[in-house]
Amino acid sequence: MRLGDGAVRFGGAGQPIVLLHGLMGRATTWWRVAQWLTSYGDVVGLDARGHGRSPHSLPAATEDFAADVAELVERLDAGPAVVIGHSMGGLHALTLAATRPELVRAVVVEDYAPDLRGRTVETWRGHFESWPQPFTSLAHVREFFGDTGDYFVECFEERADGYHLIADLEDLYAIASEWGRREYWSYVDKVDCPLLVVEAGDTVMPAGQQAELAERAGGKHLVVDGAGHVVHDSAPEEYRGAVEAFLSGALGR
């Protein structure tokens, strides 16, 4: 059920659980995870600026994305939230926990590293622009992206000539370019709530940073062997087991 302002309620009741997607994703990419998370609370996903149906405009800094999440948590008006973020969403979750700690009960970060300085969008531009857009069908999208096909079918929409990524690539490049100029360790050092860092065995992030992230924030760190960047899709059972164990402790269940 859409709540407006780019938010989607997946179900459940009680403890708010907010899901934050990665670059080029949208809230509905969390659908399969949300089905079992509803046992732990009221599960809501948020489309980030420049993604999905978010009404918020670009350009924007990381702090603006975190402020959008804060606005959602305040609107839910049910106490501090568990915030679960994948990649870019992990950055926004950490930033929120650091800047608005009263709104965050616990954080799960999936395959994100706080210092990507030196990386440029040019590394990815050729890859993204090689996609055969428009795609003929959602089946075409699923086939093209292989193991992450179920994730990407949520990120495309039908237009008159076929299926296109909902987000604009130039917007995505602008968002990612900030990460090549900044590091976010100062926010990591301010996180003072239960934290779980789930690292892909085949991570695309710089080596060692996710273990350091967990250590500096006093959290737990798990590497899922063989998992790709979208751990919750490539290793769903391992991801679920880790998050459920974490939430049982963090929520006292």
PDB file of all heavy atoms in Angstrom, residues 178-215:
ATOM      1  N   GLU A 178      29.036  12.265  -5.623  1.00  0.00           N
ATOM      2  CA  GLU A 178      29.331  12.774  -4.285  1.00  0.00           C
ATOM      3  C   GLU A 178      30.182  11.775  -3.504  1.00  0.00           C
ATOM      4  O   GLU A 178      31.078  12.165  -2.754  1.00  0.00           O
ATOM      5  CB  GLU A 178      28.032  13.054  -3.519  1.00  0.00           C
ATOM      6  CG  GLU A 178      28.285  13.587  -2.111  1.00  0.00           C
ATOM      7  CD  GLU A 178      27.029  13.649  -1.261  1.00  0.00           C
ATOM      8  OE1 GLU A 178      26.112  12.806  -1.477  1.00  0.00           O
ATOM      9  OE2 GLU A 178      26.958  14.513  -0.382  1.00  0.00           O
ATOM     10  N   TRP A 179      29.932  10.497  -3.698  1.00  0.00           N
ATOM     11  CA  TRP A 179      30.664   9.478  -2.940  1.00  0.00           C
ATOM     12  C   TRP A 179      32.134   9.434  -3.336  1.00  0.00           C
ATOM     13  O   TRP A 179      32.975   9.027  -2.537  1.00  0.00           O
ATOM     14  CB  TRP A 179      30.029   8.103  -3.162  1.00  0.00           C
ATOM     15  CG  TRP A 179      28.556   8.073  -2.924  1.00  0.00           C
ATOM     16  CD1 TRP A 179      27.830   8.911  -2.117  1.00  0.00           C
ATOM     17  CD2 TRP A 179      27.610   7.176  -3.521  1.00  0.00           C
ATOM     18  NE1 TRP A 179      26.496   8.584  -2.174  1.00  0.00           N
ATOM     19  CE2 TRP A 179      26.336   7.524  -3.027  1.00  0.00           C
ATOM     20  CE3 TRP A 179      27.731   6.120  -4.413  1.00  0.00           C
ATOM     21  CZ2 TRP A 179      25.181   6.845  -3.403  1.00  0.00           C
ATOM     22  CZ3 TRP A 179      26.583   5.429  -4.794  1.00  0.00           C
ATOM     23  CH2 TRP A 179      25.327   5.793  -4.299  1.00  0.00           C
ATOM     24  N   GLY A 180      32.439   9.837  -4.559  1.00  0.00           N
ATOM     25  CA  GLY A 180      33.832   9.864  -4.997  1.00  0.00           C
ATOM     26  C   GLY A 180      34.620  11.020  -4.415  1.00  0.00           C
ATOM     27  O   GLY A 180      35.852  11.054  -4.518  1.00  0.00           O
ATOM     28  N   ARG A 181      33.907  11.967  -3.784  1.00  0.00           N
ATOM     29  CA  ARG A 181      34.555  13.156  -3.221  1.00  0.00           C
ATOM     30  C   ARG A 181      34.583  13.179  -1.708  1.00  0.00           C
ATOM     31  O   ARG A 181      35.320  13.974  -1.118  1.00  0.00           O
ATOM     32  CB  ARG A 181      33.828  14.424  -3.704  1.00  0.00           C
ATOM     33  CG  ARG A 181      33.763  14.595  -5.199  1.00  0.00           C
ATOM     34  CD  ARG A 181      33.222  15.975  -5.547  1.00  0.00           C
ATOM     35  NE  ARG A 181      31.896  16.223  -4.988  1.00  0.00           N
ATOM     36  CZ  ARG A 181      30.742  15.980  -5.619  1.00  0.00           C
ATOM     37  NH1 ARG A 181      30.768  15.438  -6.839  1.00  0.00           N
ATOM     38  NH2 ARG A 181      29.589  16.254  -5.059  1.00  0.00           N
ATOM     39  N   ARG A 182      33.754  12.347  -1.055  1.00  0.00           N
ATOM     40  CA  ARG A 182      33.598  12.429   0.405  1.00  0.00           C
ATOM     41  C   ARG A 182      33.860  11.076   1.057  1.00  0.00           C
ATOM     42  O   ARG A 182      33.727  10.034   0.431  1.00  0.00           O
ATOM     43  CB  ARG A 182      32.166  12.833   0.771  1.00  0.00           C
ATOM     44  CG  ARG A 182      31.731  14.175   0.302  1.00  0.00           C
ATOM     45  CD  ARG A 182      30.304  14.469   0.762  1.00  0.00           C
ATOM     46  NE  ARG A 182      30.168  14.491   2.205  1.00  0.00           N
ATOM     47  CZ  ARG A 182      29.020  14.697   2.854  1.00  0.00           C
ATOM     48  NH1 ARG A 182      27.903  14.865   2.159  1.00  0.00           N
ATOM     49  NH2 ARG A 182      28.976  14.713   4.169  1.00  0.00           N
ATOM     50  N   GLU A 183      34.198  11.138   2.342  1.00  0.00           N
ATOM     51  CA  GLU A 183      34.170   9.923   3.164  1.00  0.00           C
ATOM     52  C   GLU A 183      33.246  10.189   4.339  1.00  0.00           C
ATOM     53  O   GLU A 183      33.012  11.337   4.708  1.00  0.00           O
ATOM     54  CB  GLU A 183      35.589   9.517   3.596  1.00  0.00           C
ATOM     55  CG  GLU A 183      36.398  10.624   4.263  1.00  0.00           C
ATOM     56  CD  GLU A 183      36.105  10.763   5.740  1.00  0.00           C
ATOM     57  OE1 GLU A 183      35.497   9.833   6.314  1.00  0.00           O
ATOM     58  OE2 GLU A 183      36.473  11.799   6.315  1.00  0.00           O
ATOM     59  N   TYR A 184      32.734   9.119   4.942  1.00  0.00           N
ATOM     60  CA  TYR A 184      31.660   9.258   5.921  1.00  0.00           C
ATOM     61  C   TYR A 184      32.004   8.633   7.270  1.00  0.00           C
ATOM     62  O   TYR A 184      31.107   8.307   8.050  1.00  0.00           O
ATOM     63  CB  TYR A 184      30.369   8.641   5.359  1.00  0.00           C
ATOM     64  CG  TYR A 184      29.885   9.330   4.108  1.00  0.00           C
ATOM     65  CD1 TYR A 184      30.277   8.889   2.837  1.00  0.00           C
ATOM     66  CD2 TYR A 184      29.060  10.452   4.166  1.00  0.00           C
ATOM     67  CE1 TYR A 184      29.847   9.524   1.685  1.00  0.00           C
ATOM     68  CE2 TYR A 184      28.619  11.099   3.014  1.00  0.00           C
ATOM     69  CZ  TYR A 184      29.022  10.626   1.780  1.00  0.00           C
ATOM     70  OH  TYR A 184      28.595  11.273   0.640  1.00  0.00           O
ATOM     71  N   TRP A 185      33.285   8.488   7.565  1.00  0.00           N
ATOM     72  CA  TRP A 185      33.675   7.883   8.837  1.00  0.00           C
ATOM     73  C   TRP A 185      33.201   8.699  10.029  1.00  0.00           C
ATOM     74  O   TRP A 185      32.921   8.140  11.096  1.00  0.00           O
ATOM     75  CB  TRP A 185      35.186   7.708   8.892  1.00  0.00           C
ATOM     76  CG  TRP A 185      35.699   6.630   7.995  1.00  0.00           C
ATOM     77  CD1 TRP A 185      36.491   6.782   6.895  1.00  0.00           C
ATOM     78  CD2 TRP A 185      35.455   5.219   8.108  1.00  0.00           C
ATOM     79  NE1 TRP A 185      36.753   5.554   6.310  1.00  0.00           N
ATOM     80  CE2 TRP A 185      36.133   4.588   7.036  1.00  0.00           C
ATOM     81  CE3 TRP A 185      34.732   4.425   9.001  1.00  0.00           C
ATOM     82  CZ2 TRP A 185      36.112   3.202   6.852  1.00  0.00           C
ATOM     83  CZ3 TRP A 185      34.707   3.050   8.814  1.00  0.00           C
ATOM     84  CH2 TRP A 185      35.383   2.456   7.755  1.00  0.00           C
ATOM     85  N   SER A 186      33.091  10.016   9.875  1.00  0.00           N
ATOM     86  CA  SER A 186      32.640  10.839  11.003  1.00  0.00           C
ATOM     87  C   SER A 186      31.218  10.461  11.410  1.00  0.00           C
ATOM     88  O   SER A 186      30.871  10.515  12.600  1.00  0.00           O
ATOM     89  CB  SER A 186      32.710  12.333  10.653  1.00  0.00           C
ATOM     90  OG  SER A 186      31.857  12.627   9.556  1.00  0.00           O
ATOM     91  N   TYR A 187      30.390  10.065  10.462  1.00  0.00           N
ATOM     92  CA  TYR A 187      29.044   9.607  10.791  1.00  0.00           C
ATOM     93  C   TYR A 187      29.084   8.223  11.426  1.00  0.00           C
ATOM     94  O   TYR A 187      28.358   7.945  12.384  1.00  0.00           O
ATOM     95  CB  TYR A 187      28.166   9.601   9.549  1.00  0.00           C
ATOM     96  CG  TYR A 187      27.716  10.974   9.107  1.00  0.00           C
ATOM     97  CD1 TYR A 187      27.519  11.266   7.768  1.00  0.00           C
ATOM     98  CD2 TYR A 187      27.488  11.988  10.030  1.00  0.00           C
ATOM     99  CE1 TYR A 187      27.101  12.526   7.352  1.00  0.00           C
ATOM    100  CE2 TYR A 187      27.084  13.254   9.630  1.00  0.00           C
ATOM    101  CZ  TYR A 187      26.891  13.515   8.292  1.00  0.00           C
ATOM    102  OH  TYR A 187      26.479  14.766   7.899  1.00  0.00           O
ATOM    103  N   VAL A 188      29.924   7.355  10.912  1.00  0.00           N
ATOM    104  CA  VAL A 188      30.069   6.030  11.509  1.00  0.00           C
ATOM    105  C   VAL A 188      30.414   6.148  12.989  1.00  0.00           C
ATOM    106  O   VAL A 188      29.858   5.444  13.842  1.00  0.00           O
ATOM    107  CB  VAL A 188      31.159   5.221  10.770  1.00  0.00           C
ATOM    108  CG1 VAL A 188      31.471   3.928  11.518  1.00  0.00           C
ATOM    109  CG2 VAL A 188      30.723   4.928   9.339  1.00  0.00           C
ATOM    110  N   ASP A 189      31.321   7.051  13.310  1.00  0.00           N
ATOM    111  CA  ASP A 189      31.791   7.202  14.685  1.00  0.00           C
ATOM    112  C   ASP A 189      30.720   7.742  15.634  1.00  0.00           C
ATOM    113  O   ASP A 189      30.876   7.668  16.854  1.00  0.00           O
ATOM    114  CB  ASP A 189      33.018   8.120  14.731  1.00  0.00           C
ATOM    115  CG  ASP A 189      34.236   7.492  14.066  1.00  0.00           C
ATOM    116  OD1 ASP A 189      34.293   6.256  13.979  1.00  0.00           O
ATOM    117  OD2 ASP A 189      35.128   8.245  13.621  1.00  0.00           O
ATOM    118  N   LYS A 190      29.636   8.286  15.086  1.00  0.00           N
ATOM    119  CA  LYS A 190      28.557   8.823  15.915  1.00  0.00           C
ATOM    120  C   LYS A 190      27.399   7.844  16.094  1.00  0.00           C
ATOM    121  O   LYS A 190      26.452   8.140  16.836  1.00  0.00           O
ATOM    122  CB  LYS A 190      28.034  10.121  15.298  1.00  0.00           C
ATOM    123  CG  LYS A 190      29.037  11.264  15.350  1.00  0.00           C
ATOM    124  CD  LYS A 190      28.486  12.513  14.680  1.00  0.00           C
ATOM    125  CE  LYS A 190      29.507  13.647  14.696  1.00  0.00           C
ATOM    126  NZ  LYS A 190      29.013  14.844  13.964  1.00  0.00           N
ATOM    127  N   VAL A 191      27.457   6.699  15.439  1.00  0.00           N
ATOM    128  CA  VAL A 191      26.379   5.719  15.553  1.00  0.00           C
ATOM    129  C   VAL A 191      26.441   5.065  16.927  1.00  0.00           C
ATOM    130  O   VAL A 191      27.470   4.525  17.327  1.00  0.00           O
ATOM    131  CB  VAL A 191      26.476   4.650  14.452  1.00  0.00           C
ATOM    132  CG1 VAL A 191      25.452   3.538  14.681  1.00  0.00           C
ATOM    133  CG2 VAL A 191      26.275   5.289  13.081  1.00  0.00           C
ATOM    134  N   ASP A 192      25.341   5.129  17.660  1.00  0.00           N
ATOM    135  CA  ASP A 192      25.298   4.621  19.034  1.00  0.00           C
ATOM    136  C   ASP A 192      24.036   3.781  19.243  1.00  0.00           C
ATOM    137  O   ASP A 192      23.273   4.003  20.174  1.00  0.00           O
ATOM    138  CB  ASP A 192      25.341   5.785  20.027  1.00  0.00           C
ATOM    139  CG  ASP A 192      25.496   5.315  21.464  1.00  0.00           C
ATOM    140  OD1 ASP A 192      26.050   4.218  21.667  1.00  0.00           O
ATOM    141  OD2 ASP A 192      25.047   6.036  22.375  1.00  0.00           O
ATOM    142  N   CYS A 193      23.825   2.838  18.362  1.00  0.00           N
ATOM    143  CA  CYS A 193      22.688   1.932  18.481  1.00  0.00           C
ATOM    144  C   CYS A 193      23.150   0.572  17.954  1.00  0.00           C
ATOM    145  O   CYS A 193      24.201   0.468  17.314  1.00  0.00           O
ATOM    146  CB  CYS A 193      21.483   2.444  17.684  1.00  0.00           C
ATOM    147  SG  CYS A 193      21.732   2.491  15.895  1.00  0.00           S
ATOM    148  N   PRO A 194      22.410  -0.494  18.223  1.00  0.00           N
ATOM    149  CA  PRO A 194      22.796  -1.800  17.684  1.00  0.00           C
ATOM    150  C   PRO A 194      22.963  -1.744  16.168  1.00  0.00           C
ATOM    151  O   PRO A 194      22.141  -1.145  15.464  1.00  0.00           O
ATOM    152  CB  PRO A 194      21.636  -2.699  18.096  1.00  0.00           C
ATOM    153  CG  PRO A 194      21.075  -2.060  19.321  1.00  0.00           C
ATOM    154  CD  PRO A 194      21.206  -0.583  19.080  1.00  0.00           C
ATOM    155  N   LEU A 195      24.028  -2.369  15.676  1.00  0.00           N
ATOM    156  CA  LEU A 195      24.362  -2.306  14.257  1.00  0.00           C
ATOM    157  C   LEU A 195      24.799  -3.672  13.753  1.00  0.00           C
ATOM    158  O   LEU A 195      25.598  -4.358  14.401  1.00  0.00           O
ATOM    159  CB  LEU A 195      25.496  -1.303  14.030  1.00  0.00           C
ATOM    160  CG  LEU A 195      26.159  -1.292  12.639  1.00  0.00           C
ATOM    161  CD1 LEU A 195      25.202  -0.745  11.584  1.00  0.00           C
ATOM    162  CD2 LEU A 195      27.449  -0.474  12.669  1.00  0.00           C
ATOM    163  N   LEU A 196      24.281  -4.064  12.602  1.00  0.00           N
ATOM    164  CA  LEU A 196      24.727  -5.263  11.898  1.00  0.00           C
ATOM    165  C   LEU A 196      25.195  -4.856  10.514  1.00  0.00           C
ATOM    166  O   LEU A 196      24.470  -4.170   9.786  1.00  0.00           O
ATOM    167  CB  LEU A 196      23.585  -6.280  11.768  1.00  0.00           C
ATOM    168  CG  LEU A 196      23.873  -7.501  10.876  1.00  0.00           C
ATOM    169  CD1 LEU A 196      24.986  -8.365  11.460  1.00  0.00           C
ATOM    170  CD2 LEU A 196      22.606  -8.316  10.660  1.00  0.00           C
ATOM    171  N   VAL A 197      26.400  -5.276  10.146  1.00  0.00           N
ATOM    172  CA  VAL A 197      26.942  -5.033   8.812  1.00  0.00           C
ATOM    173  C   VAL A 197      27.030  -6.372   8.088  1.00  0.00           C
ATOM    174  O   VAL A 197      27.737  -7.274   8.531  1.00  0.00           O
ATOM    175  CB  VAL A 197      28.336  -4.377   8.889  1.00  0.00           C
ATOM    176  CG1 VAL A 197      28.901  -4.173   7.485  1.00  0.00           C
ATOM    177  CG2 VAL A 197      28.274  -3.052   9.635  1.00  0.00           C
ATOM    178  N   VAL A 198      26.296  -6.497   6.987  1.00  0.00           N
ATOM    179  CA  VAL A 198      26.286  -7.728   6.190  1.00  0.00           C
ATOM    180  C   VAL A 198      27.073  -7.461   4.908  1.00  0.00           C
ATOM    181  O   VAL A 198      26.640  -6.676   4.061  1.00  0.00           O
ATOM    182  CB  VAL A 198      24.852  -8.170   5.848  1.00  0.00           C
ATOM    183  CG1 VAL A 198      24.878  -9.459   5.026  1.00  0.00           C
ATOM    184  CG2 VAL A 198      24.028  -8.363   7.116  1.00  0.00           C
ATOM    185  N   GLU A 199      28.217  -8.109   4.790  1.00  0.00           N
ATOM    186  CA  GLU A 199      29.098  -7.886   3.647  1.00  0.00           C
ATOM    187  C   GLU A 199      28.995  -9.046   2.656  1.00  0.00           C
ATOM    188  O   GLU A 199      29.017 -10.210   3.044  1.00  0.00           O
ATOM    189  CB  GLU A 199      30.541  -7.748   4.118  1.00  0.00           C
ATOM    190  CG  GLU A 199      31.540  -7.546   2.987  1.00  0.00           C
ATOM    191  CD  GLU A 199      32.948  -7.278   3.475  1.00  0.00           C
ATOM    192  OE1 GLU A 199      33.152  -7.148   4.699  1.00  0.00           O
ATOM    193  OE2 GLU A 199      33.857  -7.206   2.619  1.00  0.00           O
ATOM    194  N   ALA A 200      28.904  -8.713   1.376  1.00  0.00           N
ATOM    195  CA  ALA A 200      28.894  -9.741   0.338  1.00  0.00           C
ATOM    196  C   ALA A 200      30.280 -10.359   0.222  1.00  0.00           C
ATOM    197  O   ALA A 200      31.290  -9.653   0.225  1.00  0.00           O
ATOM    198  CB  ALA A 200      28.480  -9.130  -0.999  1.00  0.00           C
ATOM    199  N   GLY A 201      30.317 -11.686   0.087  1.00  0.00           N
ATOM    200  CA  GLY A 201      31.601 -12.342  -0.134  1.00  0.00           C
ATOM    201  C   GLY A 201      32.263 -11.851  -1.405  1.00  0.00           C
ATOM    202  O   GLY A 201      33.491 -11.732  -1.483  1.00  0.00           O
ATOM    203  N   ASP A 202      31.444 -11.541  -2.411  1.00  0.00           N
ATOM    204  CA  ASP A 202      31.939 -10.983  -3.665  1.00  0.00           C
ATOM    205  C   ASP A 202      31.619  -9.488  -3.718  1.00  0.00           C
ATOM    206  O   ASP A 202      31.048  -8.981  -4.692  1.00  0.00           O
ATOM    207  CB  ASP A 202      31.293 -11.705  -4.853  1.00  0.00           C
ATOM    208  CG  ASP A 202      31.643 -13.180  -4.892  1.00  0.00           C
ATOM    209  OD1 ASP A 202      32.759 -13.537  -4.463  1.00  0.00           O
ATOM    210  OD2 ASP A 202      30.811 -13.985  -5.357  1.00  0.00           O
ATOM    211  N   THR A 203      31.981  -8.786  -2.664  1.00  0.00           N
ATOM    212  CA  THR A 203      31.642  -7.371  -2.545  1.00  0.00           C
ATOM    213  C   THR A 203      32.284  -6.523  -3.633  1.00  0.00           C
ATOM    214  O   THR A 203      33.367  -6.865  -4.151  1.00  0.00           O
ATOM    215  CB  THR A 203      32.062  -6.832  -1.167  1.00  0.00           C
ATOM    216  OG1 THR A 203      31.612  -5.465  -1.040  1.00  0.00           O
ATOM    217  CG2 THR A 203      33.580  -6.872  -0.986  1.00  0.00           C
ATOM    218  N   VAL A 204      31.613  -5.423  -3.962  1.00  0.00           N
ATOM    219  CA  VAL A 204      32.177  -4.449  -4.889  1.00  0.00           C
ATOM    220  C   VAL A 204      32.808  -3.293  -4.114  1.00  0.00           C
ATOM    221  O   VAL A 204      33.282  -2.327  -4.715  1.00  0.00           O
ATOM    222  CB  VAL A 204      31.097  -3.905  -5.846  1.00  0.00           C
ATOM    223  CG1 VAL A 204      30.540  -5.020  -6.713  1.00  0.00           C
ATOM    224  CG2 VAL A 204      29.958  -3.211  -5.077  1.00  0.00           C
ATOM    225  N   MET A 205      32.824  -3.401  -2.788  1.00  0.00           N
ATOM    226  CA  MET A 205      33.338  -2.338  -1.933  1.00  0.00           C
ATOM    227  C   MET A 205      34.819  -2.561  -1.598  1.00  0.00           C
ATOM    228  O   MET A 205      35.322  -3.681  -1.679  1.00  0.00           O
ATOM    229  CB  MET A 205      32.516  -2.282  -0.640  1.00  0.00           C
ATOM    230  CG  MET A 205      31.059  -1.923  -0.861  1.00  0.00           C
ATOM    231  SD  MET A 205      30.868  -0.224  -1.469  1.00  0.00           S
ATOM    232  CE  MET A 205      29.234  -0.313  -2.220  1.00  0.00           C
ATOM    233  N   PRO A 206      35.540  -1.481  -1.209  1.00  0.00           N
ATOM    234  CA  PRO A 206      36.948  -1.621  -0.858  1.00  0.00           C
ATOM    235  C   PRO A 206      37.153  -2.607   0.294  1.00  0.00           C
ATOM    236  O   PRO A 206      36.367  -2.631   1.245  1.00  0.00           O
ATOM    237  CB  PRO A 206      37.351  -0.197  -0.440  1.00  0.00           C
ATOM    238  CG  PRO A 206      36.386   0.690  -1.149  1.00  0.00           C
ATOM    239  CD  PRO A 206      35.094  -0.070  -1.173  1.00  0.00           C
ATOM    240  N   ALA A 207      38.200  -3.386   0.200  1.00  0.00           N
ATOM    241  CA  ALA A 207      38.469  -4.434   1.191  1.00  0.00           C
ATOM    242  C   ALA A 207      38.701  -3.851   2.575  1.00  0.00           C
ATOM    243  O   ALA A 207      39.371  -2.830   2.736  1.00  0.00           O
ATOM    244  CB  ALA A 207      39.685  -5.249   0.760  1.00  0.00           C
ATOM    245  N   GLY A 208      38.144  -4.515   3.576  1.00  0.00           N
ATOM    246  CA  GLY A 208      38.407  -4.184   4.967  1.00  0.00           C
ATOM    247  C   GLY A 208      37.537  -3.119   5.587  1.00  0.00           C
ATOM    248  O   GLY A 208      37.428  -3.027   6.814  1.00  0.00           O
ATOM    249  N   GLN A 209      36.890  -2.310   4.768  1.00  0.00           N
ATOM    250  CA  GLN A 209      36.149  -1.171   5.327  1.00  0.00           C
ATOM    251  C   GLN A 209      34.900  -1.595   6.095  1.00  0.00           C
ATOM    252  O   GLN A 209      34.538  -0.956   7.088  1.00  0.00           O
ATOM    253  CB  GLN A 209      35.764  -0.190   4.224  1.00  0.00           C
ATOM    254  CG  GLN A 209      36.913   0.646   3.715  1.00  0.00           C
ATOM    255  CD  GLN A 209      36.422   1.859   2.950  1.00  0.00           C
ATOM    256  OE1 GLN A 209      35.344   2.416   3.217  1.00  0.00           O
ATOM    257  NE2 GLN A 209      37.200   2.289   1.978  1.00  0.00           N
ATOM    258  N   GLN A 210      34.240  -2.653   5.650  1.00  0.00           N
ATOM    259  CA  GLN A 210      32.997  -3.023   6.329  1.00  0.00           C
ATOM    260  C   GLN A 210      33.273  -3.625   7.708  1.00  0.00           C
ATOM    261  O   GLN A 210      32.516  -3.385   8.655  1.00  0.00           O
ATOM    262  CB  GLN A 210      32.186  -3.964   5.446  1.00  0.00           C
ATOM    263  CG  GLN A 210      31.751  -3.280   4.151  1.00  0.00           C
ATOM    264  CD  GLN A 210      30.818  -4.098   3.317  1.00  0.00           C
ATOM    265  OE1 GLN A 210      29.676  -4.357   3.712  1.00  0.00           O
ATOM    266  NE2 GLN A 210      31.260  -4.502   2.138  1.00  0.00           N
ATOM    267  N   ALA A 211      34.373  -4.338   7.829  1.00  0.00           N
ATOM    268  CA  ALA A 211      34.775  -4.829   9.148  1.00  0.00           C
ATOM    269  C   ALA A 211      35.132  -3.660  10.052  1.00  0.00           C
ATOM    270  O   ALA A 211      34.764  -3.633  11.240  1.00  0.00           O
ATOM    271  CB  ALA A 211      35.964  -5.781   9.014  1.00  0.00           C
ATOM    272  N   GLU A 212      35.832  -2.665   9.507  1.00  0.00           N
ATOM    273  CA  GLU A 212      36.187  -1.480  10.294  1.00  0.00           C
ATOM    274  C   GLU A 212      34.943  -0.692  10.682  1.00  0.00           C
ATOM    275  O   GLU A 212      34.850  -0.176  11.807  1.00  0.00           O
ATOM    276  CB  GLU A 212      37.150  -0.593   9.505  1.00  0.00           C
ATOM    277  CG  GLU A 212      37.608   0.632  10.291  1.00  0.00           C
ATOM    278  CD  GLU A 212      38.584   1.517   9.529  1.00  0.00           C
ATOM    279  OE1 GLU A 212      38.981   1.151   8.410  1.00  0.00           O
ATOM    280  OE2 GLU A 212      38.931   2.589  10.063  1.00  0.00           O
ATOM    281  N   LEU A 213      33.987  -0.599   9.765  1.00  0.00           N
ATOM    282  CA  LEU A 213      32.733   0.094  10.049  1.00  0.00           C
ATOM    283  C   LEU A 213      32.078  -0.508  11.291  1.00  0.00           C
ATOM    284  O   LEU A 213      31.710   0.210  12.233  1.00  0.00           O
ATOM    285  CB  LEU A 213      31.813  -0.018   8.839  1.00  0.00           C
ATOM    286  CG  LEU A 213      30.513   0.793   8.748  1.00  0.00           C
ATOM    287  CD1 LEU A 213      29.953   0.693   7.341  1.00  0.00           C
ATOM    288  CD2 LEU A 213      29.457   0.335   9.736  1.00  0.00           C
ATOM    289  N   ALA A 214      31.936  -1.821  11.284  1.00  0.00           N
ATOM    290  CA  ALA A 214      31.301  -2.492  12.418  1.00  0.00           C
ATOM    291  C   ALA A 214      32.094  -2.285  13.697  1.00  0.00           C
ATOM    292  O   ALA A 214      31.522  -2.010  14.759  1.00  0.00           O
ATOM    293  CB  ALA A 214      31.152  -3.984  12.123  1.00  0.00           C
ATOM    294  N   GLU A 215      33.409  -2.382  13.613  1.00  0.00           N
ATOM    295  CA  GLU A 215      34.244  -2.236  14.808  1.00  0.00           C
ATOM    296  C   GLU A 215      34.147  -0.833  15.388  1.00  0.00           C
ATOM    297  O   GLU A 215      33.985  -0.656  16.606  1.00  0.00           O
ATOM    298  CB  GLU A 215      35.695  -2.567  14.464  1.00  0.00           C
ATOM    299  CG  GLU A 215      36.641  -2.462  15.657  1.00  0.00           C
ATOM    300  CD  GLU A 215      38.066  -2.802  15.307  1.00  0.00           C
ATOM    301  OE1 GLU A 215      38.356  -3.072  14.113  1.00  0.00           O
ATOM    302  OE2 GLU A 215      38.922  -2.789  16.215  1.00  0.00           O
TER     303      GLU A 215
END
